Amino acid sequence: SALPEKKMIFKGLAVNKEDMNNLMLTPQIHYPLPGGSALITFEEAKVAQRIIEMREHMVELNCGEPDELDQYRVRVQALPMDILLPSAVEVRLTQRSRSILVSDLPSLDISKEALLDKLELFFSKTKNGGSEVESREFLEDSDQVVLTFTEDGVAEPLIERGHIQVPIGKGKYQIKISPCMSGDISNLQLQPSRCPRTVLLLGIPDVLSEESMQDALEIHFQKASRGGGEVDALAYVPAGRTGVAVFVEDRG
């Protein structure tokens, strides 16, 4: 229960036969943040390391009384941001016997739902090698469709054909038919990894509005005289609330 939620995206890229068993792993880590905390990402990793080494920071808050500024200081702790990343993964692939993967679909000025209707209508006819379609769906973030039939023995002959011409509107379009594979993670190994440019701030009291506190933290930590530097991003979670930080691959 202490581990953060881990969401991962698996992308397969086949270049040649030797590479067909390789996967590109792009982790997307969801990490819970408690109330009274903030995540600050600096443009340079050396600034983040310096802030962590200083450990405790006195942040001045401007509450509208410049002559009493000293009494509006809060002490916050700076900690490294450590997350768990997958180091090795084993995926068990199985072919869905009643399903086909339809790709190379044309770019037409019709809705996805209308295109699904056209595909279902075509593949539900026995003269086209099809049968009654049980379900149809667009794969997320792709232009590929999974069609599942109600009967066994329909998908395999279509897959063997490889391509088929489908009439859509006034035109006919050559589309590709492939096996539909389902993947289950059979083994996942994790290793801790430190975010080089991100710092976790804890112990932030609820004494200002969310926007004002966020501004105060960013002003403080971008000052070189306080050990800071240019801030790339900052997210603050007020006391009494919780948040979720999403970590993605740093392509900078």
Side-chain angles (χ1 to χ4, degrees):
S1 60
L3 291 177
E5 178 185 358
K6 296 174 289 297
K7 290 189 176 180
M8 289 160 284
I9 300 172
F10 298 91
K11 297 181 179 179
L13 176 63
V15 179
N16 52 48
K17 289 184 178 179
E18 287 72 25
D19 294 329
M20 289 186 69
N21 290 324
N22 292 344
L23 289 175
M24 292 186 302
L25 181 61
T26 304
Q28 188 180 75
I29 310 299
H30 288 222
Y31 193 97
L33 292 175
S37 69
L39 278 180
I40 182 168
T41 300
F42 296 95
E43 291 188 358
E44 297 184 9
K46 63 181 181 181
V47 176
Q49 183 60 36
R50 189 164 60 234
I51 292 297
I52 292 169
E53 290 174 352
M54 294 172 67
R55 185 73 178 185
E56 290 192 342
H57 300 264
M58 295 295 296
V59 180
E60 293 182 349
L61 306 180
N62 186 358
C63 298
E65 299 291 341
D67 55 333
E68 299 178 7
L69 197 60
D70 285 347
Q71 72 182 51
Y72 297 112
R73 287 180 175 177
V74 296
R75 187 189 306 272
V76 300
Q77 284 188 320
L79 300 175
M81 189 64 250
D82 293 324
I83 58 177
L84 292 174
L85 287 179
S87 58
V89 62
E90 295 179 9
V91 179
R92 182 177 58 250
L93 294 177
T94 55
Q95 182 174 339
R96 293 165 59 177
S97 61
R98 292 185 179 180
S99 300
I100 60 173
L101 182 67
V102 179
S103 57
D104 292 350
L105 294 169
S107 297
L108 301 174
D109 190 21
I110 60 175
S111 67
K112 285 188 174 182
E113 197 65 29
L115 182 56
L116 288 175
D117 288 341
K118 298 291 185 182
L119 292 173
E120 180 176 354
L121 183 62
F122 178 86
F123 283 102
S124 64
K125 295 179 179 179
T126 55
K127 69 177 183 178
N128 297 327
S131 180
E132 181 181 348
V133 175
E134 182 179 89
S135 64
R136 78 271 174 95
E137 63 173 326
F138 265 98
L139 291 181
E140 187 176 356
D141 299 326
S142 79
D143 293 323
Q144 299 177 325
V145 170
V146 174
L147 294 178
T148 301
F149 299 100
T150 58
E151 300 177 7
D152 293 325
V154 178
E156 195 60 37
L158 289 171
I159 293 169
E160 289 178 359
R161 293 176 66 173
H163 291 82
I164 193 170
Q165 274 201 340
V166 177
I168 303 176
K170 296 181 179 180
K172 286 189 175 183
Y173 302 91
Q174 184 94 340
I175 65 173
K176 184 178 180 181
I177 303 175
S178 308
C180 182
M181 309 299 291
S182 294
D184 296 314
I185 297 177
S186 57
N187 183 29
L188 177 64
Q189 298 176 21
L190 303 171
Q191 66 178 11
S193 178
R194 179 159 296 181
C195 301
R197 298 189 298 119
T198 301
V199 177
L200 175 63
L201 303 176
L202 296 176
I204 305 171
D206 189 17
V207 293
L208 289 180
S209 68
E210 183 175 349
E211 183 177 357
S212 297
M213 180 61 79
Q214 185 153 321
D215 290 344
L217 291 170
E218 186 165 352
I219 289 171
H220 175 91
F221 284 102
Q222 71 181 4
K223 291 181 178 178
S225 60
R226 304 292 173 85
E230 287 296 325
V231 174
D232 187 25
L234 189 146
Y236 163 59
V237 181
R241 291 166 55 184
T242 57
V244 176
V246 180
F247 292 88
V248 296
E249 183 179 2
D250 188 353
R251 300 184 181 272

